[in-house]
């Protein structure tokens, strides 16, 4: 049995001012995709599962970029064509596994995944199984699901189970071929936007537990709760449940509709609390009095993992003004300042204009004088979410400013785990305050070690205040913005 593996993964924030081009995609082709073996990612899970089940993987193309603006059409067209060509030129293919996100938007195409899945389906014909794994932040449609034989979104946010869902998707191909049946997927949607809601605590955790119970029913292959990605202006933005059954469409519809009614009924539990940077610092101080462990302050509104620049200065400014003792910040994205620190060298003192260069929304640049404590090339191996995967943050520097350790990186990423801190010699357990930019993925690496977690939501492209984003394409009123 031979299964083709391909993917285009992008979470598109249509409110970003710049489009996304091919050079921003991390691209693995052919045999190089096999290097993801053992990584806890969608593609790594797909490769591992093929090999475990005795399936020959036929790796075509895996292209993934940091969340950012709308994808340039020529970029998408080239990736799509490369995948379609690969399906023809690689001999007999028994099934296709697509690694997707679900919130991809291309110039002129609001539904990247639907477009790609349909093209693959047309090329392979009705008889060949085509399945896909997704990120739970996908804005999914029935149209997308109809082109596929199975829809498998990660269940957790942080996404610690991408490889497990990819494994289920690949296993379904084998089952379909051996047992000769045709699954169906029904997508039920609610007119609601969930502000980033982790499944590690609170309302998200409780709701996920309820939803997963539905997977126990006889005949159900998968139940995927798509939280949706709210930072996009498209017609199918929103929250959905996709239920894949062994062929009973009515069963899939019944389960999906019931779960979506439950999500709607409980919508107020997802309403987010939004603190300014200054308010978050005050709250962090209160929390620090109650614990000997570090208090994590996460700047959710400047999350590269949702399309924000990562160079925002609101939280760092508030922390410096409050003169927080024994604090570190990991990290701001500013290649210019990281470069200056590398030129100056360890031990140098220099004055820099840090951050705030992308736009005015994320705060003004901070004029700071600091001491270069250490430098790093920025290449780390992830240890929590995406465990085992490489991450390249570009040249990094640890600047000490008024006693506070401020890490500067060169490439956009949110902070997932303690690796960026360790890289520049920081043991976060020795700090009272640890600041970072992420919305929920950081929890996979920090929740266990934190004394408390405080959310800062100053202005930014991934703010929890969803009402600030104009919506030309929304299908109608959406909770909680209308
Ligand atoms: Zn996601």
């Amino acid at each position: 049995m031979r299964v083709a593996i391909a993917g285009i993964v992008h979470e598109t924030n249509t409110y970003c001012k710049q489009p996304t081009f091919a050079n921003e995609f991390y691209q693995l082709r052919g045999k190089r995709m096999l290097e993801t073996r053992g990584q806890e990612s969608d593609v790594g899970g797909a490769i591992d599962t093929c090999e475990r089940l005795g399936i020959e993987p036929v790796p075509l193309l895996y292209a993934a970029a940091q969340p950012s603006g709308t994808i340039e059409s020529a970029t998408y067209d080239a990736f799509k064509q490369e995948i379609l060509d690969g399906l023809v030129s690689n001999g007999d293919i028994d099934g296709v596994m697509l690694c997707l996100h679900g919130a991809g938007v291309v110039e002129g195409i609001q539904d990247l995944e639907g477009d790609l899945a349909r093209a693959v389906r047309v090329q392979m014909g009705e008889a060949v199984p085509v399945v896909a794994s997704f990120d739970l932040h996908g804005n999914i449609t029935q149209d997308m699901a109809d082109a596929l034989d199975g829809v498998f979104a990660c269940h957790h946010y942080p996404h610690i189970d991408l490889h497990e869902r990819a494994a289920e998707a690949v296993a379904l191909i084998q089952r379909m071929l051996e047992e000769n049946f045709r699954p169906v997927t029904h997508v039920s949607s609610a007119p609601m936007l969930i502000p980033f809601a982790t499944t590690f605590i609170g309302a998200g955790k409780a709701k996920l537990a309820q939803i997963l119970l539905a997977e126990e029913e006889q005949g159900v292959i998968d139940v995927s709760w798509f939280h949706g990605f709210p930072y996009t202006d498209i017609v199918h933005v929103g929250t959905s449940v996709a239920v894949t059954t062994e062929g009973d469409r009515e069963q899939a519809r019944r389960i999906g509709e019931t779960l979506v009614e439950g999500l709607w009924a409980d919508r107020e539990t997802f309403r987010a609390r939004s603190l300014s940077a200054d308010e978050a610092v005050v709250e962090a101080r209160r929390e620090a009095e109650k614990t000997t462990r570090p208090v994590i302050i996460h700047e959710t509104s400047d999350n590269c993992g949702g399309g924000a620049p990562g160079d925002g200065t609101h939280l760092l400014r508030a922390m410096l003004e409050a003169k927080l003792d024994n604090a570190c910040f990991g990290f701001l994205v500013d290649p210019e300042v990281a470069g200056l620190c590398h030129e100056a060298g360890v031990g140098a003192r220099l004055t820099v204009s840090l951050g705030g260069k992308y736009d005015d929304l994320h705060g003004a640049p901070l004029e700071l004088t600091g001491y270069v404590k250490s430098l790093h090339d920025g290449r780390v191996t992830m240890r929590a979410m995406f465990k085992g995967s490489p991450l390249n943050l570009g040249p990094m520097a640890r600047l000490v400013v008024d006693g506070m350790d401020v890490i500067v990186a060169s490439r956009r990423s949110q902070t997932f785990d303690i690796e960026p801190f360790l890289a520049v010699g920081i043991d976060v357990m020795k700090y009272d305050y640890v600041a970072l930019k992420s919305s929920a993925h950081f929890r996979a690496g920090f929740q266990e070690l934190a004394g408390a977690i405080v959310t800062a939501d100053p202005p930014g492209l991934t703010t929890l205040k969803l009402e600030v984003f104009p919506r030309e394409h929304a299908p109608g009123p959406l909770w909680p913005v209308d």
Side-chain angles (χ1 to χ4, degrees):
M1 192 180 296
R2 302 177 79 237
V3 169
I5 302 173
I8 303 176
V9 178
H10 192 246
E11 185 177 77
T12 307
N13 186 323
T14 62
Y15 300 104
C16 293
K17 55 187 184 180
Q18 253 95 340
T20 301
F21 294 97
N23 63 356
E24 285 156 81
F25 280 82
Y26 166 72
Q27 300 169 40
L28 289 176
R29 294 187 159 74
K31 285 202 165 55
R32 283 215 56 205
M33 283 168 66
L34 302 177
E35 292 169 16
T36 62
R37 261 186 208 114
Q39 296 175 9
E40 294 185 354
S41 63
D42 49 1
V43 59
I47 301 282
D48 283 346
T49 306
C50 283
E51 294 180 344
R52 182 167 50 80
L53 297 179
I55 297 169
E56 181 189 338
V58 182
L60 303 179
L61 168 70
Y62 181 76
Q66 276 292 327
S68 51
T70 302
I71 302 169
E72 184 222 16
S73 58
T75 294
Y76 169 67
D77 290 346
F79 289 155
K80 174 181 163 186
Q81 197 56 50
E82 186 175 338
I83 291 169
L84 296 176
D85 290 347
L87 290 170
V88 175
S89 62
N90 278 278
D92 288 341
I93 304 286
D94 301 301
V96 181
M97 163 65 186
L98 298 174
C99 300
L100 304 174
H101 183 286
V105 180
V106 181
E107 291 168 344
I109 303 173
Q110 291 195 0
D111 176 11
L112 181 161
E113 293 79 9
D115 183 77
L116 181 65
R118 273 191 306 276
V120 169
R121 171 59 72 201
V122 167
Q123 173 128 340
M124 301 309 291
E126 285 300 319
V128 174
V130 181
V131 299
S133 64
F134 287 87
D135 185 298
L136 62 74
H137 291 112
N139 296 306
I140 190 153
T141 61
Q142 185 64 51
D143 207 28
M144 217 185 273
D146 284 345
L148 299 165
D149 291 305
V151 163
F152 296 84
C154 60
H155 294 319
H156 291 281
Y157 181 31
H159 307 329
I160 51 170
D161 58 334
L162 289 161
H163 59 302
E164 291 170 4
R165 300 288 84 74
E168 287 185 48
V170 170
L172 177 60
I173 294 177
Q174 191 180 50
R175 237 192 102 194
M176 283 176 67
L177 292 170
E178 286 176 354
E179 298 174 25
N180 197 24
F181 73 104
R182 202 80 208 221
V184 293
T185 302
H186 183 84
V187 178
S188 306
S189 302
M192 59 189 280
L193 304 173
I194 297 183
F196 286 144
T198 180
T199 58
F200 275 26
I201 54 164
K205 183 177 181 179
K207 186 54 74 178
L208 176 63
Q210 272 177 25
I211 286 173
L212 289 184
L213 278 180
E215 284 195 340
E216 306 291 311
E217 193 174 308
Q218 186 74 30
V220 175
I221 293 170
D222 183 81
V223 179
S224 286
W225 169 24
F226 285 87
H227 296 207
F229 184 65
Y231 305 102
T232 184
D233 187 17
I234 55 169
V235 74
H236 57 280
V237 65
T239 302
S240 303
V241 174
V243 181
T244 302
T245 67
E246 290 171 355
D248 187 339
R249 191 173 286 278
E250 179 49 30
Q251 181 188 28
R253 194 198 59 78
R254 170 178 52 77
I255 293 171
E257 294 300 319
T258 305
L259 293 174
V260 153
E261 279 166 25
L263 277 164
W264 178 253
D266 294 337
R267 62 193 179 280
E268 284 301 327
T269 63
F270 294 106
R271 194 177 281 278
R273 181 167 168 251
S274 174
L275 298 181
S276 71
D278 294 310
E279 288 166 342
V281 168
V282 170
E283 181 153 320
R285 271 213 163 108
R286 261 200 309 268
E287 293 293 339
E289 284 168 16
K290 299 184 237 164
T291 177
T292 54
R293 289 169 162 266
V295 173
I296 311 292
I297 316 173
H298 68 113
E299 194 170 16
T300 188
S301 48
D302 185 23
N303 177 8
C304 292
D311 81 336
T313 54
H314 293 300
L315 178 58
L316 178 59
R317 177 199 50 74
M319 290 170 65
L320 288 167
E321 282 178 7
K323 300 191 189 318
L324 280 188
D325 265 341
N326 199 25
C328 58
F329 198 119
F331 46 83
L332 271 80
V333 181
D334 190 330
E336 188 185 318
V337 169
L340 289 172
C341 292
H342 276 254
E343 270 172 38
V346 170
R349 278 188 78 79
L350 73 170
T351 298
V352 295
S353 176
L354 178 63
K357 289 162 189 162
Y358 177 79
D359 63 10
D360 296 335
L361 179 66
H362 299 82
L366 298 177
E367 307 303 320
L368 303 173
T369 298
Y371 167 83
V372 182
K373 181 76 177 169
S374 60
L375 300 167
H376 193 269
D377 70 358
R379 290 178 184 273
V380 297
T381 301
M382 300 173 78
R383 61 160 65 205
M385 189 175 136
F386 291 132
K387 189 173 172 184
S389 306
L391 178 65
N392 182 2
L393 299 170
M396 287 171 67
R398 171 181 173 190
L399 258 184
V400 185
V401 180
D402 294 339
M404 192 179 297
D405 282 293
V406 179
I407 306 174
V408 185
S410 296
R411 292 168 63 119
R412 290 179 61 240
S413 171
Q414 66 184 298
T415 301
F416 290 92
D417 55 38
I418 61 172
E419 286 296 326
F421 293 91
L422 285 176
V424 293
I426 289 177
D427 174 359
V428 294
M429 295 310 289
K430 293 184 175 157
Y431 286 73
D432 292 334
Y433 303 95
V434 177
L436 53 86
K437 292 172 184 283
S438 174
S439 296
H441 289 335
F442 75 96
R443 286 181 182 272
F446 289 89
Q447 187 159 303
E448 292 293 303
L449 59 83
I453 292 175
V454 176
T455 305
D457 188 30
L461 271 175
T462 52
T463 175
L464 299 171
K465 292 179 176 157
L466 301 180
E467 65 278 9
V468 304
F469 299 98
R471 293 187 190 275
E472 276 177 41
H473 299 292
L478 288 165
W479 180 89
V481 299
D482 295 308

